[in-house]
Amino acid sequence: MTFDGLDYAPMQLADVDEVFAVEREVYPHPWTRGNFVDSLASGYSAWTLRDEGRLAGYFLLMAAVDEAHLLNVSVAAQRQGQGIGRYLLDKVVACARGLGAESVLLEVRPSNERALKVYLRYGFVEIGRRKAYYPAHNGQREDAIVMRFTL
């Protein structure tokens, strides 16, 4: 698939409602609208990807010393399986390099097999686990796999 017609732009406050709608569509335990508003207010690198005005995906990246922490990366449900996730990871890496980072860190649920495969194919490696990191069904908690991509 070609990505020439996609519009990649900084996330604005006006994008948050649409971003939040996609977030709720693709995750069983989504970020809150406030998480996105707070991330923008904190000055995190936040970007959207649109196709003919429709939101195809987004990511939020936090710089910390020599690392960039990928806080959230999501692809709209109807655009999954089309290479958008890898395209967004290319943008994440470019953004992290621009921030002077030497690596990108992220957490992913072990149950999110699709994302885990994308990260592994991209070159991220598991460096640890965070016990009971994510909320899960019925008040349970799910571990997080911590991954790093060295730039």
Side-chain angles (χ1 to χ4, degrees):
M1 174 175 196
T2 179
F3 299 108
D4 294 339
L6 296 180
D7 180 32
Y8 174 70
M11 187 184 295
Q12 305 295 320
L13 198 52
D15 296 314
V16 169
D17 286 337
E18 192 175 4
V19 165
F20 182 52
V22 168
E23 180 80 3
R24 286 181 302 172
E25 180 182 46
V26 300
Y27 291 116
H29 300 280
W31 272 27
T32 66
R33 185 183 186 286
N35 291 139
F36 290 103
V37 172
D38 291 347
S39 293
L40 290 175
S42 295
Y44 298 157
S45 295
W47 292 83
T48 60
L49 187 65
R50 295 183 176 277
D51 186 3
E52 296 180 6
R54 297 175 106 162
L55 187 64
Y58 53 89
F59 73 84
L60 294 96
L61 190 67
M62 177 183 71
V65 189
D66 61 350
E67 295 178 333
H69 189 156
L70 182 56
L71 302 173
N72 189 323
V73 58
S74 302
V75 176
Q78 69 274 16
R79 296 306 301 266
Q80 291 183 2
Q82 300 175 10
I84 298 285
R86 181 170 179 87
Y87 181 83
L88 283 172
L89 288 176
D90 287 344
K91 296 297 188 183
V92 165
V93 166
C95 186
R97 281 192 174 114
L99 295 169
E102 295 176 8
S103 64
V104 177
L105 293 178
L106 62 80
E107 292 91 11
V108 60
R109 292 173 183 266
S111 64
N112 191 346
E113 294 175 10
R114 185 178 214 164
L116 193 51
K117 286 179 185 176
V118 170
Y119 298 141
L120 289 169
R121 277 194 309 256
Y122 197 87
F124 281 84
V125 295
E126 181 176 340
I127 61 167
R129 298 250 175 169
R130 298 189 199 282
K131 297 291 181 198
Y133 185 78
Y134 290 112
H137 298 296
N138 301 323
Q140 300 293 313
R141 306 288 297 177
E142 183 176 4
D143 292 351
I145 297 172
V146 182
M147 303 185 86
R148 173 181 283 135
F149 181 82
T150 303
L151 303 176

